[in-house]
Amino acid sequence: MMRRPILSAVLCSMLMAGVAQAETVNLGITQIVEHPALDASRQGALDELAERGYVEGENLEIDFQNAQGNPTIAAQIARKFAGDRPDLVLAISTPSAQAAASALQDDIPIVFTAVTDPLLAKLVNDMDAPGGHITGVVDAPPLQAQLQLIRDMFPEAERLGILYNPGEANSVSQAEKLQAMAPELGFELVEVTASRTSEVMGAARSLAGRVDAIYVPVDNTVVSALESVLKVSYDADIPVFTGDNSSVERGALASLGFSYYDMGRQTGAMMARILGGEKAGDLPVGTVEKLELILNRGAADQIGYGIPAEFEEQAVEIFD
């Protein structure tokens, strides 16, 4: 007579567990702008979540919001998520992460990705122990290695132009580091800025005739308008190097960096851990360490440059 209640209790417990597993997770995604690098990081995160059992349309509901390059819209998106109260927010880029951190309460975890310097951006106080409700994966480019690549491919280059948005904290951080590194490798740094995508073409034109090479850092504004920089570079026979590998396919000459898709996968794994019950603030900020050389022969042809065989041998991918 005692077995039925026990069996019923066990069955009830199993059913409750099944209901809990079947509950839909609400994910908010805020992205400053759509361009290949950031899009790849978002896709990587979603693919990793799917592999871990969080599948859109089944048990995952996604609210994706694009700020179209406007920090004011990013702040509006963050306030929207504060009202909607999703289970987790994925913030792609520094401006989006800053807006989310400012607007969302501590009980809504935030995972950022494609953020170059979370300390400078005041997102975390400690990379190893973020605390609070936010953590993520940084996309800090290997600036020293990238400058060395430019020096190795163009031994005679003297003046290096960089183009960035002074309103993006991660871009300012990169510019400051480049200022310190450039003289060590024999470069005179020539800086120009663009606060909006519409200003990128003019800024790039101002470098023509003044520099021997152009370096485009991980900057959302400039990368979004990369074709404007490339048009100027092709017309003036100036090589363009970039901080993110995805820009090489679009026409930059070379990049020594990492895969934003792989970074997204790493971010997705972190998100899954938080959805599984771990606290965001307990997870150390992640970094991507594997570097890949990507080249573009077509871009080399545009500026009349023959890529030495040694670099083609080192490249993991070459576009024509």
Side-chain angles (χ1 to χ4, degrees):
M1 295 293 294
M2 294 295 294
R3 289 182 179 176
R4 284 187 179 177
I6 293 173
L7 288 174
S8 297
V10 172
L11 181 59
C12 180
S13 176
M14 292 173 62
L15 289 173
M16 289 297 290
V19 170
Q21 292 174 358
E23 287 181 357
T24 298
V25 169
N26 292 302
L27 172 64
I29 302 179
T30 173
Q31 182 171 317
I32 190 63
V33 70
E34 289 190 273
H35 64 62
L38 298 187
D39 295 344
S41 67
R42 183 179 77 246
Q43 190 60 54
L46 295 178
D47 287 350
E48 184 67 25
L49 283 178
E51 193 170 291
R52 291 169 180 261
Y54 297 95
V55 181
E56 184 178 9
E58 295 181 11
N59 61 350
L60 179 65
E61 184 175 318
I62 299 173
D63 183 0
F64 170 65
Q65 298 289 329
N66 170 23
Q68 301 174 20
N70 191 326
T72 301
I73 297 177
Q76 294 171 352
I77 293 169
R79 289 194 293 270
K80 174 186 184 300
F81 286 159
D84 295 344
R85 300 189 57 76
D87 298 301
L88 177 68
V89 168
L90 170 62
I92 306 176
S93 78
T94 299
S96 294
Q98 289 174 316
S102 176
L104 298 177
Q105 296 181 8
D106 290 351
D107 59 344
I108 301 177
I110 301 168
V111 176
F112 60 74
T113 194
V115 168
T116 301
D117 193 336
L119 293 173
L120 180 67
K122 301 187 185 320
L123 294 172
V124 300
N125 294 319
D126 189 311
M127 298 283 278
D128 294 323
H133 64 133
I134 184 167
T135 189
V137 181
V138 299
D139 67 347
L143 297 176
Q144 188 77 35
Q146 291 174 343
L147 285 183
Q148 187 63 58
L149 175 66
I150 301 172
R151 170 55 66 218
D152 291 343
M153 293 186 72
F154 291 87
E156 304 301 320
E158 297 179 356
R159 297 175 302 278
L160 177 64
I162 64 168
L163 174 58
Y164 65 96
N165 181 350
E168 286 198 24
N170 65 312
S171 301
V172 173
S173 173
Q174 292 174 83
E176 291 174 348
K177 292 174 181 175
L178 287 167
Q179 288 168 358
M181 295 176 184
E184 298 174 4
L185 287 167
F187 289 117
E188 175 189 342
L189 210 61
V190 180
E191 298 181 43
V192 294
T193 60
S195 298
R196 295 182 292 274
T197 54
S198 60
E199 298 175 1
V200 172
M201 175 68 85
R205 282 176 175 160
S206 73
L207 291 174
R210 299 171 58 201
V211 300
D212 303 306
I214 294 174
Y215 175 75
V216 177
V218 179
D219 180 287
N220 295 303
T221 301
V222 180
V223 173
S224 295
L226 182 65
E227 283 70 23
S228 296
V229 181
L230 296 175
K231 184 179 187 310
V232 171
S233 77
Y234 293 165
D235 290 344
D237 293 336
I238 302 172
V240 172
F241 293 79
T242 62
D244 74 283
N245 284 0
S246 63
S247 292
V248 179
E249 184 176 6
R250 295 167 65 188
L253 175 62
S255 178
L256 179 64
F258 51 81
S259 163
Y260 270 73
Y261 177 80
D262 290 344
M263 182 184 67
R265 295 293 297 238
Q266 187 174 339
T267 305
M270 186 176 286
M271 294 164 66
R273 291 176 63 182
I274 294 170
L275 292 173
E278 296 188 58
K279 293 182 179 180
D282 292 342
L283 302 181
V285 174
T287 59
V288 183
E289 297 180 355
K290 180 183 177 182
L291 299 182
E292 300 175 335
L293 175 61
I294 311 294
L295 301 171
N296 190 316
R297 286 198 193 99
D301 291 342
Q302 287 281 353
I303 63 172
Y305 175 72
I307 300 176
E310 62 184 287
F311 296 105
E312 293 197 349
E313 291 171 1
Q314 296 172 27
V316 299
E317 190 168 11
I318 301 175
F319 295 101
D320 292 314

